[in-house]
Amino acid sequence: MTGNNTNKVKDPLLHIIKRGSIVWWKSALIRVVAILIALVVVALITLVITGQNPIEMYKAMIDGAIGNELRIWNLLQDTALLLVVGLALTLSFKMRFWNIGGQGQIIMGAIAATACMKFLPGKVPDFALYLIMIASALIAGAIWALVPGLFKAFLNTNETLFTLMMNYIALNFAAFLTFRWSKNSGNNVIGILNRKTHAGWFPDIGGEGFVGRSFLLNILIVFVMMLIVFVYLKYSKHGYEISVVGESEKTARYIGINVKKVIIRTVIISGAICGLAGLILVSGVHHTLTTDIEGGRGFTAIIVSWMAHFNPLYMALTSFLIVFLEKGAIQVASSPALNLDDNFANIVTGIIILFIIGCEFFINYKIVFRKRKGGAS
Amino acid sequence: MEHIPALELKNITKKFGSIVANNNVSLSAEKGEILAILGENGSGKTTLMNMISGIYFPDSGQIFINGKEVVISSPKDAFDNGVGMIHQHFKLVDVLTAAENIVLGLDGRFNLKSAVKEVASIAGKYGFDIDPLKKIYEMSVSEKQTVEIIKVLYRNADILILDEPTAVLTPQETDKLFDVLRRMKDEGKTIIIITHKLHEVLSLSDRVAVLRKGEYICTIKTSEANESVLTEAMVGKKISLNIERAEPKDPVDRLIVQDLLCLNREGTPVLQDVSFTARSGEILGIAGIAGSGQRELLEAIAGLQHISSGEITYIDPKTDKHENLRDKTPVQIRQLGVRLSFVPEDRLGMGLVGNMDIVDNMMLRSYGKGKSVFLKRKEPRDLANEIISSLEVVTPSASTPVRRLSGGNVQKVLVGREIASTPTVLMAAYPVRGLDINSSYMIYNLLNQQKSNGVAVIFVGEDLDVLVELCDRIMIIGSGRIAGIVDGRTSTKEQIGLLMTKNVKTHTEKGTEDVSQ
Ligand SMILES: Nc1ncnc2c1ncn2[C@@H]1O[C@H](COP(=O)(O)OP(=O)(O)OP(=O)(O)O)[C@@H](O)[C@H]1O
Ligand SMILES: [Mg+2]
């Protein structure tokens, strides 16, 4: 024992403290600051590595995303398409069912819609075509989620791997069908279906002069879906059951929730909404089936859902942000004024998303700099 | 020579937002001393200890170890200063062995073989019972705790802090632990122990430091203390520690269990030949060594455990109809009109959802009522506020997630909810575990209130003193069989203790008869 009371104490400069809770405006402020810092960092990197003018690059990004009215509508539609998949996945995620099979479920919905558009016109009345098409797309997506859901509920198999494998089956199925249904057999292109009759196409809203006429319905469908999912999760008994099952299966059993039923019901809804995304992609956007019609949304939507902490309303923002960056990056890559390729554009998007995810740390934790009273040292 | 304590805290303050968990706390612990920390739920005991072990960092104040001021801002700093803490929730890796867990996280390379040897030698020195090569998932709670303690000793800790180590132990395991702690004290180590059980404080410690609402109150020499002195210091006023046991008012049979047989996953019986009757207006206590089938029994009645054979019959107080509850789900049981409430042992893992707020936890049982697809939050909110005020739950608001509440307050929320549904049968498993004296007595009073309302109360307890004071009849269970049912008014603690450890194998069918009749 030394008993040396005058020993000098080295005091760490800062401490990391977990926050109990945070007021909304503080967390919003942290996020805004994070984006601003990200923009500065990206600007510096651009300047140092490529020698290009970062201001020009940002101009190109903004131009790519909202440069004209058509681009704005495209941006909104793509936001909606990403959001709807995010909504679907969130239902599963809230239940801790890690559905990463959005891709497969979307593709199956798209296949079902395409089949209806290809084979039904002329055979059934128009309104029946729409009903059958909507129903079959939703059911196809639901089945694709239901299969892993059943295995999870009854055999407790790992849903992550299972849903992932289901993606490959759907992808190959789509590849096979684009070959089978191709116009000139063998070239693997189905081509626009019902170009003249528009049978099975979602109707335009507004007249010829309205740029958004073919976009608006898609966006509105998703907007309504967002409100439904929000209310479903927060205010319905089903939503409550999803949270309880997700938090603790033991508690769910204790109060008599039928856990299997909740899992199955929820994955069906989750898959059906992915099927809806497939339907919109075919009937509302592309009017044909291609193997890459899903566009990676099944995976990107995972980020959308997590970044928004599984809140459907916040997800509108996170989808918008990601799509905005994507659109901007494409423009940066193709802008003749800038000598940048899409690799660099992707780096830019990556850095910005990294900052946004990274700032969660500052929302969950507080850093305290310690001022020391002169006494001890 | 000037006197230097092994550990000294000076003016420690810690706030969580607006909550002051510790306010200007100063206390000290000597070398070769066992210091007990006593205080009500939420008085800041765990928070204070967490600051010595590097989990939290004080907002202000100083920590001295052997007279030298130290800064502890991580568990590693704590170990470097010879401080180790055994938390209430163990932090072990399930798939690794005891020895692997013990060396885990140490800097530099280590030799597992020599580690196993050293673990064995530490165990030998202090009298631990441990197999260094056993995997954690194969261990009982008490074995896991042993691993945690050795882990701390392996890192050469001189100051050991234990946060409610006995809450999860049987009396026998507790005795063993205390022997080990006394041996450590003789070795010159400093032991700081948090416990709510006053008899443990009195039998083990040298001095007692009392906290109240985050403030340091006093330190009392154990030799000069008794239960009422300690409670008064803790609560701040004199309270009576008596349980009033009223005579049961016209008891009638409410729940009849006959020849129950339940198997576990491996097909071996966890409950066998269990027969008993719970009556209205009566508290039926269940005593037994932890893990003797108490949990399975309650879960079987609640519809959560598969029954291989036997019957559970509920007698409706209004219609006198006999309902068979066997193999019914909790929902089906409720639909039969059986008002069965159940306070399970695992509060946050089963009875409540930690991440949900108090209001949403109130709805757990009742959300399904009515035809609407939407939730009605008004009633649960009113109920939450009522429970908060009537049971004095300490919480910032009704919309605080229950996981943020201290142990006692979590339990009040759960018991409050279960009682609010005006049950006819109320089952409670270890309802006062981790609760301070005051809250414990509040729970006993609630159970008594239910009894006088004509509820058939089934109370699984571990404290024999309380069981003989509170219960009208006590059923003793051992290895899944009933070792006897005795009258709570005439039987003694010793009698029950004997039945608990009685060899149940030689026990005949006769023993399951109700001897109180
Ligand atoms: N991480 C935290 N965030 C916010 N508040 C906290 C946190 N940890 C503790 N508290 C609050 O600080 C106070 C003291 O809590 P602490 O856990 O230290 O009490 P305790 O004396 O250990 O109680 P118990 O006997 O129930 O274990 C309580 O009011 C508690 O709600
Ligand atoms: Mg504590």
Side-chain angles (χ1 to χ4, degrees):
Chain A
M1 242 187 260
T2 57
N4 184 359
N5 263 334
T6 55
N7 223 357
K8 203 172 165 189
V9 177
K10 61 170 174 20
D11 195 20
L13 202 61
L14 48 86
H15 292 282
I16 297 166
I17 296 172
K18 197 163 170 36
R19 291 181 201 259
S21 58
I22 184 167
V23 286
W24 68 270
W25 62 265
K26 262 192 195 165
S27 65
L29 187 70
I30 290 174
R31 292 197 172 90
V32 169
V33 170
I35 294 178
L36 290 178
I37 297 175
L39 293 177
V40 173
V41 170
V42 167
L44 289 175
I45 290 177
T46 314
L47 202 62
V48 171
I49 295 184
T50 69
Q52 304 280 333
N53 182 348
I55 305 289
E56 285 302 317
M57 188 187 65
Y58 285 138
K59 268 195 193 152
M61 283 190 88
I62 292 167
D63 181 43
I66 54 171
N68 57 43
E69 208 181 331
L70 186 64
R71 281 183 186 163
I72 293 177
W73 282 107
N74 246 312
L75 173 75
L76 293 177
Q77 173 170 283
D78 279 358
T79 301
L81 285 167
L82 185 58
L83 172 60
V84 71
V85 183
L87 294 171
L89 299 188
T90 298
L91 287 168
S92 305
F93 289 173
K94 267 262 182 176
M95 199 175 61
R96 309 265 160 95
F97 181 95
W98 305 118
N99 178 8
I100 58 170
Q103 184 179 44
Q105 291 147 29
I106 297 167
I107 290 175
M108 291 315 287
I111 289 175
T114 312
C116 292
M117 280 171 71
K118 189 166 167 63
F119 298 111
L120 291 185
K123 296 190 185 101
V124 297
D126 243 16
F127 78 93
L129 166 65
Y130 281 102
L131 284 184
I132 297 172
M133 188 173 67
I134 293 169
S136 56
L138 298 192
I139 291 171
I143 290 175
W144 227 241
L146 177 63
V147 176
L150 285 173
F151 274 81
K152 170 82 176 181
F154 288 97
L155 300 171
N156 200 22
T157 48
N158 182 318
E159 74 277 10
T160 321
L161 285 175
F162 207 137
T163 48
L164 186 67
M165 300 316 289
M166 295 294 281
N167 286 342
Y168 299 118
I169 302 176
L171 261 176
N172 286 306
F173 191 38
F176 168 71
L177 289 178
T178 49
F179 164 74
R180 254 324 260 281
W181 293 343
S182 52
K183 235 184 190 158
N184 313 307
S185 66
N187 73 347
N188 293 350
V189 177
I190 295 176
I192 306 287
L193 292 165
N194 313 334
R195 191 188 289 276
K196 296 237 171 57
T197 59
H198 286 199
W201 290 31
F202 281 176
D204 286 354
I205 293 181
E208 279 295 307
F210 177 44
V211 187
R213 63 185 180 281
S214 67
F215 299 94
L216 192 55
L217 182 60
N218 301 337
I219 296 166
L220 286 177
I221 292 173
V222 176
F223 183 75
V224 172
M225 202 69 224
M226 174 182 77
L227 297 181
I228 292 175
V229 171
F230 177 74
V231 171
Y232 182 75
L233 281 175
K234 191 148 188 214
Y235 298 106
S236 83
K237 291 178 178 172
H238 285 187
Y240 184 70
E241 288 173 347
I242 291 175
S243 308
V244 175
V245 170
E247 293 286 345
S248 157
E249 273 193 33
K250 240 168 111 187
T251 308
R253 295 224 169 78
Y254 160 76
I255 58 166
I257 290 179
N258 184 338
V259 175
K260 291 187 176 70
K261 187 172 125 191
V262 174
I263 291 180
I264 290 168
R265 182 179 70 207
T266 309
V267 296
I268 287 178
I269 299 173
S270 178
I273 298 178
C274 280
L276 172 72
L279 171 72
I280 300 175
L281 280 166
V282 170
S283 299
V285 182
H286 297 295
H287 311 117
T288 184
L289 177 71
T290 59
T291 48
D292 57 0
I293 193 165
E294 177 263 351
R297 293 187 178 88
F299 294 107
T300 314
I302 298 173
I303 308 176
V304 166
S305 178
W306 273 89
M307 270 170 64
H309 299 278
F310 309 132
N311 180 326
L313 303 185
Y314 294 163
M315 275 161 54
L317 290 178
T318 53
S319 315
F320 180 83
L321 184 87
I322 288 179
V323 172
F324 188 100
L325 289 173
E326 273 176 0
K327 299 255 169 222
I330 293 170
Q331 182 71 10
V332 167
S334 58
S335 162
L338 292 162
N339 186 17
L340 297 169
D341 65 355
D342 55 348
N343 288 327
F344 189 78
N346 287 335
I347 293 176
V348 171
T349 343
I351 292 174
I352 295 176
I353 291 181
L354 192 73
F355 268 84
I356 294 169
I357 296 176
C359 81
E360 291 294 314
F361 175 84
F362 294 93
I363 291 169
N364 289 323
Y365 296 90
K366 190 162 64 175
I367 292 188
V368 179
F369 293 90
R370 187 149 136 112
K371 284 178 243 74
R372 199 158 173 96
K373 304 151 279 175
S377 43
Chain B
M1 200 185 111
E2 175 194 10
H3 177 77
I4 297 154
L7 172 75
E8 188 173 12
L9 306 180
K10 275 192 187 156
N11 307 321
I12 299 272
T13 296
K14 177 76 189 172
K15 293 182 189 141
F16 294 108
S18 59
I19 299 167
V20 186
N22 290 130
N23 189 15
N24 248 330
V25 174
S26 305
L27 56 83
S28 65
E30 307 295 330
K31 194 168 152 44
E33 173 184 61
I34 298 181
L35 176 73
I37 309 267
L38 202 56
E40 290 185 277
N41 293 121
S43 56
K45 305 179 295 293
T46 300
T47 306
L48 186 66
M49 293 304 120
N50 276 340
M51 282 186 282
I52 311 172
S53 62
I55 307 283
Y56 295 141
F57 195 82
D59 294 342
S60 65
Q62 293 160 285
I63 300 172
F64 296 87
I65 288 178
N66 294 329
K68 194 173 121 218
E69 182 172 6
V70 294
V71 171
I72 299 176
S73 52
S74 71
K76 193 181 165 301
D77 286 356
F79 278 124
D80 291 345
N81 285 298
V83 178
M85 178 155 168
I86 291 98
H87 296 271
Q88 216 180 333
H89 303 282
F90 304 142
K91 297 168 184 194
L92 298 169
V93 184
D94 264 355
V95 294
L96 298 182
T97 63
E100 283 165 344
N101 264 289
I102 286 165
V103 293
L104 201 70
L106 285 178
D107 286 343
R109 278 191 290 155
F110 53 80
N111 181 337
L112 202 56
K113 254 210 194 112
S114 68
V116 169
K117 239 191 235 148
E118 194 174 336
V119 167
S121 94
I122 293 176
K125 185 168 165 196
Y126 295 105
F128 289 110
D129 234 348
I130 190 163
D131 172 6
L133 297 177
K134 196 167 173 184
K135 296 255 202 295
I136 301 298
Y137 65 80
E138 298 169 327
M139 291 185 170
S140 69
V141 185
S142 126
E143 286 175 297
K144 287 182 195 173
Q145 188 179 63
T146 306
V147 176
E148 287 280 12
I149 296 174
I150 296 183
K151 193 168 151 185
V152 167
L153 292 173
Y154 189 88
R155 286 159 174 73
N156 294 322
D158 290 318
I159 300 173
L160 277 88
I161 304 168
L162 298 103
D163 193 354
E164 297 189 38
T166 60
V168 291
L169 300 184
T170 64
Q172 289 82 354
E173 289 167 336
T174 302
D175 287 344
K176 244 192 197 163
L177 172 70
F178 284 0
D179 283 342
V180 168
L181 294 181
R182 290 194 185 99
R183 219 159 300 163
M184 288 180 189
K185 165 187 156 180
D186 294 341
E187 287 284 322
K189 304 227 184 263
T190 304
I191 314 275
I192 302 179
I193 181 169
I194 301 178
T195 173
H196 287 296
K197 299 177 190 164
L198 295 182
H199 61 95
E200 293 180 354
V201 171
L202 292 170
S203 76
L204 180 72
S205 68
D206 299 303
R207 289 188 307 148
V208 191
V210 181
L211 296 183
R212 191 195 306 153
K213 299 200 165 80
E215 312 257 352
Y216 168 77
I217 301 300
C218 59
T219 301
I220 307 173
K221 271 210 178 90
T222 310
S223 54
E224 295 162 9
N226 59 34
E227 296 212 357
S228 68
V229 168
L230 293 179
T231 350
E232 198 182 329
M234 203 162 69
V235 183
K237 56 177 187 239
K238 273 212 163 58
I239 58 164
S240 97
L241 295 182
N242 287 322
I243 305 174
E244 282 186 28
R245 176 165 47 195
E247 282 296 325
K249 269 191 297 200
D250 14 280
V252 291
D253 291 358
R254 179 61 47 78
L255 194 71
I256 303 173
V257 176
Q258 279 165 304
D259 299 323
L260 206 61
L261 174 71
C262 293
L263 306 176
N264 65 8
R265 246 186 249 167
E266 285 78 42
T268 51
V270 283
L271 289 175
Q272 215 172 341
D273 301 328
V274 172
S275 303
F276 68 92
T277 303
R279 303 199 194 103
S280 65
E282 219 185 53
I283 298 184
L284 173 68
I286 299 184
I289 295 167
S292 304
Q294 296 95 321
R295 186 175 51 99
E296 288 81 0
L297 177 58
L298 298 197
E299 291 189 358
I301 297 171
L304 298 165
Q305 158 90 33
H306 178 72
I307 296 164
S308 300
S309 71
E311 302 297 329
I312 297 171
T313 313
Y314 170 81
I315 300 159
D316 196 295
K318 287 207 188 86
T319 61
D320 234 10
K321 237 174 79 183
H322 287 48
E323 304 279 7
N324 189 352
L325 303 189
R326 181 180 163 185
D327 288 335
K328 296 238 160 53
T329 65
V331 176
Q332 287 168 329
I333 292 176
R334 220 176 308 149
Q335 280 162 353
L336 283 174
V338 178
R339 291 207 305 276
L340 182 79
S341 282
F342 178 22
V343 178
E345 183 179 347
D346 187 358
R347 293 162 204 167
L348 284 177
M350 188 170 194
L352 299 166
V353 178
N355 280 328
M356 285 186 175
D357 64 14
I358 302 180
V359 175
D360 279 13
N361 269 294
M362 287 300 138
M363 295 197 292
L364 269 174
R365 275 205 189 276
S366 58
Y367 81 93
K369 273 196 206 124
K371 288 243 158 12
S372 165
V373 296
F374 292 108
L375 298 164
K376 290 199 188 66
R377 281 199 170 84
K378 182 169 179 332
E379 271 174 44
R381 180 165 296 120
D382 292 345
L383 177 61
N385 286 325
E386 195 196 306
I387 289 177
I388 289 171
S389 68
S390 68
L391 301 188
E392 297 164 26
V393 178
V394 182
T395 172
S397 79
S399 40
T400 305
V402 288
R403 114 187 100 78
R404 289 244 193 83
L405 306 183
S406 85
N409 291 310
V410 168
Q411 185 67 328
K412 286 181 190 171
V413 169
L414 175 55
V415 172
R417 185 192 71 204
E418 289 303 296
I419 288 176
S421 58
T422 56
T424 51
V425 177
L426 171 65
M427 305 192 288
Y430 308 112
V432 300
R433 192 176 268 179
L435 264 57
D436 64 48
I437 287 281
N438 216 5
S439 311
S440 299
Y441 278 77
M442 183 178 263
I443 300 282
Y444 301 145
N445 284 336
L446 284 173
L447 294 181
N448 263 329
Q449 242 172 48
Q450 294 301 304
K451 165 182 158 180
S452 65
N453 290 347
V455 176
V457 180
I458 300 177
F459 167 77
V460 179
E462 44 202 341
D463 190 336
L464 296 182
D465 290 307
V466 170
L467 277 162
V468 293
E469 246 185 287
L470 177 71
C471 302
D472 298 296
R473 288 182 303 145
I474 300 164
M475 175 164 99
I476 298 99
I477 189 168
S479 313
R481 287 165 185 267
I482 292 179
I485 300 180
V486 299
D487 191 319
R489 286 181 177 73
T490 56
S491 54
T492 63
K493 217 172 108 178
E494 288 68 30
Q495 206 181 337
I496 295 170
L498 216 63
L499 283 169
M500 274 168 69
T501 49
K502 186 163 148 186
N503 186 354
V504 285
K505 291 263 160 51
T506 62
H507 202 72
T508 57
E509 295 294 283
K510 261 193 183 162
T512 58
E513 268 170 29
D514 202 325
V515 298
S516 73
Q517 282 176 336

